[in-house]
Amino acid sequence: MGKKMNLLMFSGEYDKAMAGLILANTARDIEVEVTMFFAFWGLFLVRDPEKMTLEDKTIYEKLMDVITPKGPQHLPLSRMNFSGLGRMMLEEMMEDQGAPKLIHFLKGARKKNIKFYACKLSVEIMGFKPEEFLPEVEIIDAATYLKDALESDMQLFI
């Protein structure tokens, strides 16, 4: 049986999401099975901005949609964000070094069949609908996630 890595993505910040996706992609490159579990703010990474809807949502759910990042392209930095200027600077520095952007690592993870799971309770609390996520995202409960994590050789919380 091969090695397995499990990442719990709790942060909705660009640099932390980038770290998680770099590790996930690299692990797949060395033939490690990878599962990513997105909870609360981490859900913004797997939100599809083209599929967002305000239909059949409460006022709080609508407000959450309006004031939060619309998807991976809109995540702030964890430090020195400066209303998005910091992230733009980081992306330009990455480009100068020939490093891929976050969206490229996300696309790579999708192509490499990394398993994407969304926390059922987080999805419900934040008022998201299943169809608002990338098609690879499966919504599961905490018990299912924990069973998967307990079978992993490495668990990371980001």
Side-chain angles (χ1 to χ4, degrees):
M1 181 155 111
K3 296 287 184 183
K4 184 172 178 180
M5 181 172 78
N6 182 289
L7 291 97
L8 192 158
M9 301 297 293
F10 182 78
S11 174
E13 296 163 325
Y14 186 94
D15 46 322
K16 293 177 183 178
M18 183 86 152
L21 284 169
I22 289 170
L23 291 172
N25 277 283
T26 304
R28 284 299 299 141
D29 290 343
I30 60 170
E31 300 181 14
V32 173
E33 183 182 343
V34 179
T35 297
M36 298 182 80
F37 183 73
F38 301 89
F40 289 99
W41 312 117
L43 291 170
F44 300 137
L45 180 59
V46 290
R47 242 172 129 180
D48 187 338
E50 302 297 319
K51 295 181 181 175
M52 289 176 52
T53 180
L54 298 178
E55 193 173 316
D56 297 324
K57 292 190 175 187
T58 68
I59 189 70
Y60 289 132
E61 292 168 346
K62 289 177 183 177
L63 186 59
M64 180 72 76
D65 275 359
V66 171
I67 64 173
T68 59
K70 307 303 175 240
Q73 301 280 50
H74 301 104
L75 299 178
L77 284 181
S78 62
R79 302 259 192 254
M80 302 186 324
N81 190 52
F82 304 124
S83 298
L85 181 61
R87 197 188 89 211
M88 287 178 13
M89 288 172 31
L90 176 65
E91 286 182 329
E92 190 169 313
M93 293 167 67
M94 290 165 52
E95 188 174 311
D96 290 347
Q97 295 298 316
K101 292 182 181 180
L102 173 72
I103 195 70
H104 300 117
F105 284 107
L106 181 60
K107 287 178 182 176
R110 294 172 72 186
K111 286 180 184 173
K112 293 175 184 176
N113 295 316
I114 289 172
K115 294 178 188 162
F116 289 170
Y117 296 127
C119 172
K120 183 178 184 291
L121 186 58
S122 296
V123 169
E124 291 170 354
I125 288 172
M126 297 187 73
F128 299 143
K129 297 179 182 298
E131 58 270 15
E132 292 182 273
F133 295 103
L134 299 174
E136 295 85 358
V137 176
E138 181 182 343
I139 298 173
I140 63 172
D141 62 21
T144 304
Y145 159 70
L146 288 171
K147 288 175 187 173
D148 180 76
L150 288 168
E151 293 174 358
S152 296
D153 300 291
M154 179 186 293
Q155 300 90 22
L156 302 172
F157 184 94
I158 299 175

